[in-house]
Amino acid sequence: MIKPKLPGLAAGLKDKLIQQALERKLRQATSAPSAAPSARPAGARVVIPEEFYRFHLHPSYKQLRILNDGAARLGLQNPFFKLHEGAASDHTRIGGKTYINYSSYNYLGMSGDPEVNAAAKEAIDRYGTSVSASRLVSGERPIHRELELEIARLYGVDDAVTFVSGHATNVSTIGHLFGPRDLVLHDELIHNSVLQGIQLSGARRLPFPHNDWSTLDNLLDEQRHQFERVLIVLEGIYSMDGDYPDLPRFVEIKRRHRCFLMVDEAHSLGVMGARGHGIREHFGLDGSDVDIWMGTLSKTLAGCGGYIAGETALVEHLKFLAPGFLYSVGMPPSVAAASLAALKRMQQVPERVQALQARGRFFLERARAAGIDTGTSQGLAVIPAIIGSSLKATRLSALMFDHGINVQPILYPAVPERSARLRFFISCSHTEAQIQQTVDQLSQLLRTANR
C-alpha cells in the first residue's frame, strides 16, 4: 500500500494534516524577521543574535530540518545519497542488490566502456592524477587541447574551452561576459547554474514562458533598445521535462534583435540528432547559428566538467579573463582523456544513439498508454512521471525501490509542488523488457495510491 493505515485518522487525512503543519512551519521559518543590527549608545555592549553565528540556526537549515522531520513522522526514508557500488547504467548495485536503474546520465553507456576506461588509465600513467596548476601557468596538457578541438569540430566552430565544473561553466561564462547594462532573457525552466551566472553578472534578468518564442519576441520589441548586450539562454533538452525548444525560431529572433544566443546542451549532446550531435544536428543548423554552445562532460561524455564552444574571440576571452577558468586548476588528465574517448566512441557507434532514441520512444509510448502523466516529454532520454505531490512522489520512489527499480523523486522546490515527479533517465542499454516491467510496476502502484 502507498499510505499505511494510521490510528484515529484515515491515511490520506493524516498526510494532509501533517503536510499543512509542515507548510505552516516553513512559512514561519521564512517569514520570521531576523534581529538586524541597530544603532547603539556609545559604550553599550553589542549583543549578536546566536542565529548569526550558528549554522544549525541558519534559516535554510531550519527549513531542511522541518522537511526531514516531517518526512520521518510519515515513515519516509531519505531517498537521496544512495551508495552505488559500481558503474551505473541500465542497472546498478546498491546494498548488495541489483536494481533496474533510471537515475544515471550515462545515456550512451560510455562510463564503463572499456575503451573509455583504457584512455583514462593511460592518461594517468602519462600525466599523473592532476596537472597541479591552472592551465594558464603550467597546467596545460596536450589532452586538454585535443578534447577542445574535437568539441569545436563537432559543432563546426572555431574553438572550445573546458571547465572543471559544468555548473561553474555557466556561472563563470555568463557572470564574466555580461554586466549591469545588459539583459539576459531565459526560458522559465532554465537550469540553476544560468540563474546563478546572471546574478553574478548584475545584468537584468527576464524569464519567458517555457519554449514560448513568441513572448520572447514581444519582450525584445519592448526591451532591446534599453540595453547594450542582450543574451537569450535556452536548453537543448530540459532536464526536468524532457522536451526541447524550436531552435530555428529562436535563431531567427536573436538575429533580428541583434542578441547573443546561448544553448545549454548538457542533456541533448549524444541524445538528439541521427548521430547524437545534439540539437544542432536535429534541426540541421550551422554551428555559427548559435553564439555560445555550452555542454557538460558528465553525461554522454563520461567525465566531469563543462565546455563552451564558439568563435575564437569568445574562447580566448574566457581562457584569459574568466575567473572560473583562469583561477581554477586544469582538468585532471584522466577526465579529459575519458571525455575525448567517449566523444570519439559516440561517432564510431551511432547504433547506441539509435538504441537510446528507440528505448526513449518505447518508454514514453508505454507510459502514456498506461495513463501515466509524462508532461511534455518527447521521449529523448528524460521522461518524468508527474505525481502531483512531494509526499506521494517520495513514497512511490521508495516502493519502486522495494520492487527492484531505482528512480529518484524530484520534489519541491526543485519543481512546483503540484509538479512533483519521478524522473526517469533512459540509456541505450535499457531493454524493452526492463522498461515494460518498470511501467507496469509504476502503473500498479499509482492505481493503488489513487484508490
Side-chain angles (χ1 to χ4, degrees):
M1 294 290 289
I2 294 291
K3 296 183 178 179
K5 297 202 176 288
L6 300 168
L9 287 173
L13 180 57
K14 183 79 170 180
D15 282 1
K16 186 175 181 181
L17 291 173
I18 291 176
Q19 185 166 7
Q20 289 174 348
L22 290 174
E23 289 172 354
R24 281 196 300 273
K25 286 186 177 181
L26 285 171
R27 284 195 296 270
Q28 292 166 1
T30 55
S31 62
S34 297
S38 57
R40 60 186 176 89
R45 182 174 179 272
V46 177
V47 178
I48 304 298
E50 194 175 5
E51 65 185 273
F52 291 168
Y53 59 91
R54 299 289 189 195
F55 284 122
H56 73 282
L57 296 177
H58 193 287
S60 296
Y61 183 71
K62 288 167 69 175
Q63 292 178 49
L64 178 63
R65 292 312 316 160
I66 290 169
L67 292 172
N68 286 347
D69 292 346
R73 285 198 293 273
L74 289 167
L76 298 177
Q77 294 183 343
N78 189 329
F80 308 112
F81 294 102
K82 291 186 177 80
L83 188 62
H84 294 250
E85 296 160 358
S89 56
D90 63 292
H91 63 277
T92 188
R93 193 165 180 82
I94 301 171
K97 297 180 181 178
T98 299
Y99 295 83
I100 301 174
N101 183 45
Y102 295 98
S103 296
S104 167
Y105 309 137
N106 195 10
Y107 297 134
L108 298 184
M110 295 301 178
S111 178
D113 180 277
E115 292 190 24
V116 175
N117 287 355
K121 293 172 185 176
E122 182 182 349
I124 290 175
D125 290 340
R126 179 176 298 179
Y127 301 113
T129 57
S130 173
V131 297
S132 305
S134 71
R135 286 176 57 186
L136 186 74
V137 290
S138 61
E140 188 86 341
R141 299 293 184 272
I143 196 70
H144 294 133
R145 289 305 295 145
E146 291 175 40
L147 173 60
E148 290 164 346
L149 292 173
E150 193 66 29
I151 291 170
R153 192 158 30 246
L154 182 80
Y155 281 99
V157 295
D158 296 340
D159 205 351
V161 56
T162 54
F163 292 71
V164 292
S165 160
H167 189 281
T169 301
N170 276 335
V171 173
S172 194
T173 298
I174 297 172
H176 177 67
L177 294 178
F178 299 91
R181 290 179 295 205
D182 302 331
L183 170 67
V184 182
L185 303 108
H186 63 84
D187 190 288
E188 64 181 345
L189 301 185
I190 206 70
H191 193 265
N192 169 270
S193 56
V194 170
L195 302 181
Q196 294 294 312
I198 299 168
Q199 183 177 356
L200 177 63
S201 75
R204 185 180 177 195
R205 178 174 73 88
L206 280 179
F208 55 87
H210 184 46
N211 284 335
D212 188 344
W213 54 266
S214 179
T215 296
L216 170 67
D217 198 11
N218 291 335
L219 284 171
L220 286 167
D221 281 336
E222 298 169 359
Q223 301 285 337
R224 176 64 185 96
H225 66 282
Q226 300 180 43
F227 299 92
E228 294 181 359
R229 285 170 292 275
V230 174
L231 174 68
I232 303 163
V233 193
L234 315 171
E235 292 185 29
I237 289 179
Y238 286 87
S239 60
M240 295 295 176
D241 294 86
D243 58 1
Y244 56 86
D246 184 351
L247 188 54
R249 290 278 193 180
F250 287 94
V251 170
E252 188 277 325
I253 288 169
K254 78 100 180 179
R255 284 179 174 158
R256 182 155 39 83
H257 291 282
R258 299 184 182 276
C259 304
F260 293 109
L261 176 61
M262 179 177 185
V263 178
D264 180 336
E265 283 227 274
H267 291 274
S268 49
L269 181 69
V271 174
M272 297 185 75
R275 298 167 296 168
H277 290 195
I279 194 169
R280 181 176 80 88
E281 182 182 34
H282 178 85
F283 283 109
L285 299 174
D286 291 331
S288 60
D289 288 334
V290 169
D291 302 282
I292 307 173
W293 291 104
M294 181 271 173
T296 56
L297 306 176
S298 55
K299 281 86 176 173
T300 290
L301 299 186
C304 188
Y307 62 84
I308 295 291
E311 64 178 278
T312 299
L314 166 68
V315 173
E316 285 190 353
H317 192 165
L318 295 175
K319 287 178 73 172
F320 282 92
L321 296 173
F325 180 85
L326 183 62
Y327 298 108
S328 178
V329 69
M331 181 179 293
S334 57
V335 174
S339 292
L340 177 61
L343 186 53
K344 291 179 177 179
R345 286 288 286 154
M346 181 184 79
Q347 297 171 78
Q348 294 166 358
V349 287
E351 60 271 17
R352 293 195 192 183
V353 177
Q354 294 152 19
L356 169 64
Q357 294 171 352
R359 297 299 180 271
R361 286 193 301 269
F362 183 77
F363 192 110
L364 187 67
E365 291 165 2
R366 301 313 303 154
R368 287 181 174 170
I372 296 168
D373 183 358
T374 58
T376 56
S377 175
Q378 299 298 303
L380 288 167
V382 181
I383 303 175
I386 299 173
I387 307 303
S389 152
S390 292
L391 290 174
K392 186 185 288 188
T394 304
R395 276 206 176 92
L396 280 169
S397 173
L399 287 167
M400 292 288 279
F401 192 74
D402 290 343
H403 286 86
I405 299 166
N406 183 52
V407 57
Q408 292 296 103
I410 304 297
L411 314 173
Y412 176 84
V415 293
E417 174 63 16
R418 68 183 182 280
S419 298
R421 62 195 62 192
L422 302 183
R423 180 172 59 169
F424 294 86
F425 291 118
I426 312 301
S427 80
C428 66
S429 52
H430 278 111
T431 66
E432 290 189 355
Q434 288 174 325
I435 291 170
Q436 189 64 61
Q437 176 185 344
T438 300
V439 171
D440 289 346
Q441 188 63 67
L442 178 59
S443 178
Q444 179 184 337
L445 291 171
L446 282 169
R447 285 195 301 271
T448 304
N450 294 328
R451 283 177 185 166

